Amino acid sequence: MFFQPLDLTTALRPSLLPEETLLFVQDAVGLYEGKFKLPNHQNGHAYLTSHRVCYVDNLEPRKHSIAVDLKNVERYEFYAGFLKSSAKVTLYPKAAKPSLIPTRNPSTFSNSHIAGSPSRSANASPIHGGRSPFLSAGSGRSTPRPSNATWICTICSFSNPVPSNFDTATATPNMSIPPCLSCGIKPTFPQLLKAAIANAAGRKTSQPSSQEPEQSLLEDQDQFNVESNGDYADSPTNNPSALLRKSRFQCPRCTFLNYPSLLTCELCGGPLSAESKAAEVLGEDLRRPESPGPTLDGFSSGLNSDTECVKLSFRAGGEKIFHERLKGAMVQRKWLLQSAPPVPDSYQSFGSGQGHVVDSDGSVRPQTERARTVGIAGLERQGLELRKKNEVVIGSAFEDLDALMASAKEIIALAESFAKKSDDGSTEANQLIAESAKALDMVTTKDMLGSSSGSESLYLSEMSRNLAEYLTDDAKGILRKEGGIMSLVDLWAVFNRARGGVELISPMEFEKAARLWEKLKLPIRLRQFKNGLLVVQQADRTDDKTIAQLLAWLQELHHFPPSDDVNWDYERFGRGITAQEAAQRFGWSVGVASEELEMAEEKGVFCREEGVEGLRFWENWIVSDHDGEEEGDDGISVEPVRTIPDMELVQRNLEEMGLV
Amino acid sequence: MPPTTDFTFPTYHQSYPPFYTLQPNHQTLTSQLRKWSRLIQRYARHHSLFKLSLPATIDSPLFKNVSLKKRLSLQDATKVLDWMCTDEGGRRAEKIVEGGGGGGGGGGAGVYWIWWKRPEEWGEEIVGWVERTGQKGVVLTLYELTAGEGSRGEEFWGMDGEVLRRALAGLVRKGRAQVFGGEGEEGVKFF
């Protein structure tokens, strides 16, 4: 299938792969598969990244979020919407049929072919890797292939393989039967059935039917295994015909299976170029069984046909920009870079001049041999080389913009290392500057968002998530450094600094975004102290937890006599604490500590003692009624007077006036 | 002021410093005021005080704890007593206004009646005593009631004249007593 599981960050946004960049976000998006709405995927955010199209559900983001890898997208269509029908963008998966795959640019092919498996394993989809029988040669071969069964064409007597999904138990005459590979005439159904049964009788093992969904896409095509392309010699299959067939190459024109060494087709004479062979292999590569994604119950069988597609329905606009950016992403094909070789390092990049030593006889010796020089001279040379290398990298990067884009990674790494080197004292600020480059690619900027009516709120909610991610990022540990609590103004400053002076956020928008945390159920919360100060905290640090923490401490103090002589019953009442003591104990700032103490007081847990030494907070024994036993019931009442009826009140007043 | 020898203060008064700071939290404050009110009433009762002059008592052990080096400030003590005057405080105190309310006894600002028994409760007390001693229908002078040999040992013995007059006024209103005579030599008859 087409859908991939999607990992979410703490802030419920898709966690981006390395190198992946966010291009566009749009809310109020629903998903269709084919013509049908996907249940539970009807209201969410669509994230377009350089590698994927992600859907994050609004209601149950952890459960119903999926992604589509752009590399699996064959083409996309745009539908502008009509009357009540929302605008849609349709994504068509790359079909498994080789016929649908256009001949590839050889260089593209060679990239993805050579680095085929690494790129796939880098795909971060665990399902993807392990499942495929094509990938793991051992497991793939251990299961007997269904194509071992053959049927003889009555027209040309060519020995054709029975389609892999042709199960004698379930097959019906209605199902499509692939034609003869040689002459193109379809066999009759009984003929095929007979062949299959004969084969099944000959072999004891029946075909596991579990392979069907994966194989069904291949049903009318010849089975052509990548694995057999290069190393068929060690194939455990002893059936000679299968071996023979496997090692053959299909003619792109007449589909005849030729021997791989032939340059022209044996049957039609068409050229069997390496390119077409390559396309062949690539096609195989891409028609790898997909991990099963969510499907509509009851429709899944129909969805395996080539009509399968995924539609994103844009109910609140934004489809045009999405389409634009998707177009851009499909042209750029950043996912290919993933497996591309890294920017060549200096020694190769400036070729004969620096990287290699040209000997007197003209032979080029690799650089490494020359770097033998030891001592100070060697160190100096090393430094020189490093500087030259950096120069070249920077120089070539700025040559033109494309080159800059290509070597962006390198440049950022350099900038970071410069920033770190420039001040080894490494104050926090310097670290932040170094991180700013990194932070740049994670920020949500306004132009990433749709310009529909809800774009303002979308911008805010995205920024809100962005902030939450920034705060919960363990690598930065921003909150931890501040003792788990930080004022909003400080955060605003740090965050804007991290943005590196680009797309700065206004304080007002920042506050609005921060106020959205609670609504979006993010792990960060905004808290307002009594004096109006806004602070940022982890959501799980509630007031109750803080109070419990403080109370536990105060109760501890019952058992330790205070340092100075006390003239009260400390075992009973404990003692008072100041904000400074609390700050010291919990690593808060004094301001925060006093706010926390006052918060506890406001909740009636603490009470205060104002004295010459300052404000101290005590456990609240005033509210509790434990002193009753000392006073006894001496008839003294402190109960409020019951409200007196008006008449009586008037009478009483009159009475008193007369008396006084 | 009578000596304060054997009055036992509650523990929070003795060893809980926050008791001397009026709390900002409303709920805690209510609780605190109630405790103070109770303490003041007990104190007044123990020492048979009917009037409390704050300037005179602010340095007494009631408001000042020497061992804790804590005291209730005059301002806060005024707050406590003002609260006692309210309905919420049970009207256990009443501010004596300058020039009114019986004149004498300290006078000036910060003087309060402490109603550890309110006038109507005093009335009931007196009626109870009269009934117990079989003096219904007998005319008694006010002096007899508060300073006479017969009532010695009763709580209202030594009672302030003003308080007595107000207590009797309550009874008169209810038709349970009658006051005769003029200023200074009133007599009272209970029915």
Side-chain angles (χ1 to χ4, degrees):
Chain A
M1 283 297 302
F2 198 24
F3 290 124
Q4 307 283 335
L6 177 61
D7 287 336
L8 296 180
T9 63
T10 47
L12 303 178
R13 304 195 326 159
S15 63
L16 301 182
L17 309 171
E19 318 278 298
E20 194 175 9
T21 53
L22 188 62
L23 299 176
F24 187 66
V25 188
Q26 177 63 48
D27 57 354
V29 172
L31 280 192
Y32 285 66
E33 187 168 327
K35 288 185 174 175
F36 305 100
K37 284 184 180 177
L38 270 175
N40 299 326
H41 294 79
Q42 288 309 310
N43 181 20
H45 286 59
Y47 291 82
L48 176 68
T49 72
S50 56
H51 290 48
R52 291 179 294 178
V53 174
C54 310
Y55 170 86
V56 179
D57 198 58
N58 272 1
L59 295 176
E60 290 201 62
R62 297 268 173 216
K63 225 165 141 189
H64 299 302
S65 293
I66 47 176
V68 170
D69 281 350
L70 286 183
K71 69 173 173 189
N72 293 332
V73 172
E74 165 68 24
R75 64 200 166 91
Y76 51 93
E77 271 174 13
F78 180 66
Y79 166 70
F82 182 69
L83 295 181
K84 279 189 167 179
S85 162
S86 315
K88 289 180 185 66
V89 168
T90 313
L91 305 173
Y92 293 95
K94 278 202 172 113
K97 296 179 184 181
S99 57
L100 279 181
I101 295 183
T103 311
R104 285 295 167 131
N105 170 357
S107 71
T108 306
F109 155 69
S110 64
N111 269 348
S112 69
H113 177 56
I114 292 165
S117 336
S119 84
R120 197 164 301 109
S121 56
N123 202 6
S125 159
I127 304 172
H128 209 83
R131 271 279 188 93
S132 163
F134 295 97
L135 255 187
S136 50
S139 68
R141 285 170 198 165
S142 64
T143 43
R145 308 292 310 168
S147 53
N148 283 349
T150 53
W151 55 274
I152 310 294
C153 175
T154 49
I155 308 295
C156 67
S157 71
F158 184 80
S159 168
N160 287 287
V162 173
S164 58
N165 65 333
F166 189 88
D167 188 350
T168 49
T170 56
T172 59
N174 296 332
M175 67 186 287
S176 70
I177 296 170
C180 170
L181 291 173
S182 170
C183 61
I185 305 295
K186 279 191 180 182
T188 59
F189 178 71
Q191 190 186 358
L192 200 56
L193 191 63
K194 226 178 278 175
I197 291 171
N199 182 267
R203 262 183 317 118
K204 274 180 184 168
T205 44
S206 63
Q207 299 312 312
S209 55
S210 64
Q211 292 187 2
E212 300 317 303
E214 293 175 354
Q215 302 277 346
S216 60
L217 288 170
L218 320 174
E219 60 184 9
D220 52 356
Q221 290 301 326
D222 179 31
Q223 303 299 304
F224 192 93
N225 291 308
V226 181
E227 62 191 329
S228 66
N229 190 20
D231 55 1
Y232 63 89
D234 60 1
S235 166
T237 319
N238 289 326
N239 187 332
S241 74
L243 184 65
L244 200 63
R245 199 186 43 71
K246 275 184 179 178
S247 63
R248 287 173 169 186
F249 233 106
Q250 193 177 34
C251 169
R253 191 189 293 175
C254 67
T255 72
F256 182 73
L257 291 177
N258 290 286
Y259 281 95
S261 54
L262 287 177
L263 288 176
T264 54
C265 176
E266 220 173 359
L267 193 76
C268 66
L272 286 177
S273 64
E275 202 170 293
S276 68
K277 283 184 189 177
E280 195 74 11
V281 175
L282 178 65
E284 281 296 336
D285 213 9
L286 287 168
R287 79 164 101 146
R288 197 161 307 289
E290 303 286 355
S291 63
T295 49
L296 276 177
D297 284 338
F299 294 115
S300 53
S301 60
L303 289 172
N304 284 329
S305 68
D306 57 356
T307 59
E308 180 191 284
C309 61
V310 172
K311 285 183 191 163
L312 289 103
S313 175
F314 291 86
R315 288 165 188 148
E319 71 283 349
K320 284 206 181 92
I321 306 171
F322 189 91
H323 183 243
E324 287 285 291
R325 304 252 160 104
L326 178 63
K327 208 191 279 174
M330 292 297 281
V331 169
Q332 285 185 345
R333 284 190 295 202
K334 286 232 175 99
W335 57 92
L336 291 178
L337 286 177
Q338 218 170 31
S339 51
V343 176
D345 63 14
S346 59
Y347 304 134
Q348 278 108 48
S349 70
F350 35 105
S352 56
Q354 293 281 337
H356 296 75
V357 180
V358 184
D359 283 355
S360 53
D361 58 353
S363 70
V364 177
R365 254 192 312 127
Q367 156 84 29
T368 47
E369 284 182 35
R370 200 199 46 169
R372 280 282 163 77
T373 345
V374 290
I376 294 176
L379 286 174
E380 273 179 350
R381 181 171 295 162
Q382 252 182 326
L384 190 70
E385 272 161 14
L386 193 69
R387 271 198 299 283
K388 276 195 177 140
K389 176 192 166 188
N390 290 346
E391 244 168 58
V392 169
V393 170
I394 293 172
S396 65
F398 286 105
E399 248 168 35
D400 64 70
L401 271 177
D402 286 341
L404 177 63
M405 297 297 260
S407 52
K409 196 165 59 165
E410 198 113 313
I411 291 298
I412 289 173
L414 260 182
E416 276 172 18
S417 70
F418 282 161
K420 275 187 186 127
K421 226 174 271 174
S422 68
D423 188 353
D424 268 343
S426 75
T427 57
E428 203 173 315
N430 276 322
Q431 272 182 353
L432 283 169
I433 291 168
E435 280 162 7
S436 64
K438 218 187 296 169
L440 262 179
D441 60 6
M442 61 146 224
V443 294
T444 305
T445 54
K446 260 185 178 164
D447 66 319
M448 279 185 196
L449 303 167
S451 54
S452 62
S453 57
S455 73
E456 178 67 17
S457 70
L458 178 61
Y459 171 63
L460 288 178
S461 74
E462 279 306 305
M463 191 160 66
S464 178
R465 289 171 200 274
N466 215 163
L467 268 171
E469 268 168 31
Y470 181 71
L471 280 171
T472 50
D473 189 346
D474 281 339
K476 298 195 184 79
I478 295 203
L479 267 185
R480 199 165 4 100
K481 260 182 248 160
E482 303 278 334
I485 187 165
M486 178 177 196
S487 85
L488 192 67
V489 177
D490 288 347
L491 177 64
W492 177 73
V494 169
F495 189 71
N496 261 343
R497 206 154 14 143
R499 284 201 163 198
V502 187
E503 279 283 339
L504 297 180
I505 306 167
S506 79
M508 205 190 290
E509 280 173 334
F510 194 80
E511 192 190 326
K512 276 187 200 158
R515 289 194 188 281
L516 281 176
W517 284 330
E518 205 167 335
K519 210 172 110 199
L520 296 171
K521 300 193 189 73
L522 297 178
I524 299 288
R525 79 188 174 111
L526 184 69
R527 199 173 128 199
Q528 186 152 23
F529 280 135
K530 264 193 306 185
N531 61 7
L533 179 72
L534 288 166
V535 293
V536 175
Q537 256 185 333
Q538 299 257 345
D540 54 1
R541 258 191 74 98
T542 57
D543 288 354
D544 293 343
K545 270 196 185 164
T546 310
I547 289 174
Q549 211 176 4
L550 286 168
L551 266 184
W553 181 35
L554 279 184
Q555 254 134 35
E556 248 172 61
L557 292 176
H558 284 222
H559 308 297
F560 303 105
S563 49
D564 46 343
D565 57 332
V566 287
N567 21 36
W568 67 83
D569 187 2
Y570 66 83
E571 280 183 7
R572 174 155 175 194
F573 292 113
R575 65 187 192 90
I577 49 169
T578 61
Q580 282 82 358
E581 285 170 329
Q584 249 173 24
R585 162 121 184 160
F586 297 108
W588 298 329
S589 74
V590 174
V592 167
S594 71
E595 289 291 351
E596 294 283 19
L597 288 170
E598 277 174 36
M599 177 274 297
E601 182 192 38
E602 203 173 334
K603 301 226 166 178
V605 182
F606 282 7
C607 55
R608 64 171 61 196
E609 173 209 348
E610 276 162 10
V612 279
E613 310 103 1
L615 200 57
R616 282 178 177 276
F617 287 89
W618 292 69
E619 281 170 80
N620 191 345
W621 295 104
I622 291 177
V623 169
S624 64
D625 274 334
H626 68 93
D627 53 22
E629 82 276 4
E630 287 177 49
E631 301 188 13
D633 191 6
D634 47 13
I636 284 176
S637 143
V638 287
E639 293 312 308
V641 172
R642 274 167 265 113
T643 43
I644 306 159
D646 282 352
M647 276 302 290
E648 213 180 310
L649 188 74
V650 171
Q651 202 182 5
R652 198 174 66 95
N653 284 345
L654 284 173
E655 205 61 55
E656 276 176 16
M657 278 167 72
L659 195 97
V660 168
Chain B
M1 284 293 137
T4 61
T5 43
D6 52 349
F7 181 76
T8 52
F9 285 100
T11 46
Y12 50 79
H13 184 272
Q14 288 306 309
S15 60
Y16 190 52
F19 191 56
Y20 294 89
T21 302
L22 287 189
Q23 301 296 319
N25 179 325
H26 182 74
Q27 196 195 345
T28 313
L29 179 64
T30 309
S31 202
Q32 190 183 19
L33 290 172
R34 193 169 293 159
K35 278 196 164 64
W36 268 113
S37 164
R38 202 181 176 88
L39 175 65
I40 291 169
Q41 286 176 57
R42 278 183 58 231
Y43 184 83
R45 182 179 190 171
H46 186 264
H47 298 286
S48 298
L49 292 177
F50 295 91
K51 260 184 208 166
L52 186 75
S53 164
L54 276 183
T57 47
I58 197 66
D59 285 328
S60 75
L62 177 60
F63 293 119
K64 186 173 179 180
N65 187 323
V66 182
S67 70
L68 280 186
K69 302 195 189 81
K70 282 276 158 194
R71 68 185 304 159
L72 197 65
S73 69
L74 182 61
Q75 203 181 355
D76 287 348
T78 313
K79 273 188 200 152
V80 170
L81 284 165
D82 283 343
W83 181 82
M84 287 170 72
C85 297
T86 62
D87 278 355
E88 197 194 357
R91 285 208 307 278
R92 288 291 161 181
E94 191 175 326
K95 192 162 185 147
I96 298 171
V97 188
E98 185 85 42
V111 184
Y112 293 83
W113 295 116
I114 303 298
W115 298 133
W116 40 282
K117 277 189 170 38
R118 277 196 288 264
E120 54 270 29
E121 288 165 339
W122 281 124
E124 292 303 315
E125 189 87 5
I126 294 166
V127 169
W129 173 74
V130 167
E131 277 174 8
R132 259 185 285 124
T133 51
Q135 300 187 76
K136 271 193 170 181
V138 180
V139 176
L140 297 160
T141 63
L142 297 197
Y143 179 82
E144 264 180 303
L145 275 176
T146 59
E149 283 303 309
S151 63
R152 185 180 287 275
E154 294 297 325
E155 268 195 318
F156 54 84
W157 198 82
M159 188 193 246
D160 189 278
E162 175 68 18
V163 181
L164 179 62
R165 238 167 276 140
R166 288 176 64 169
L168 292 180
L171 292 175
V172 170
R173 196 175 63 219
K174 286 181 190 156
R176 297 171 70 180
Q178 199 180 354
V179 180
F180 313 94
E183 188 73 27
E185 44 197 53
E186 297 106 323
V188 64
K189 195 168 103 179
F190 295 90
F191 308 117

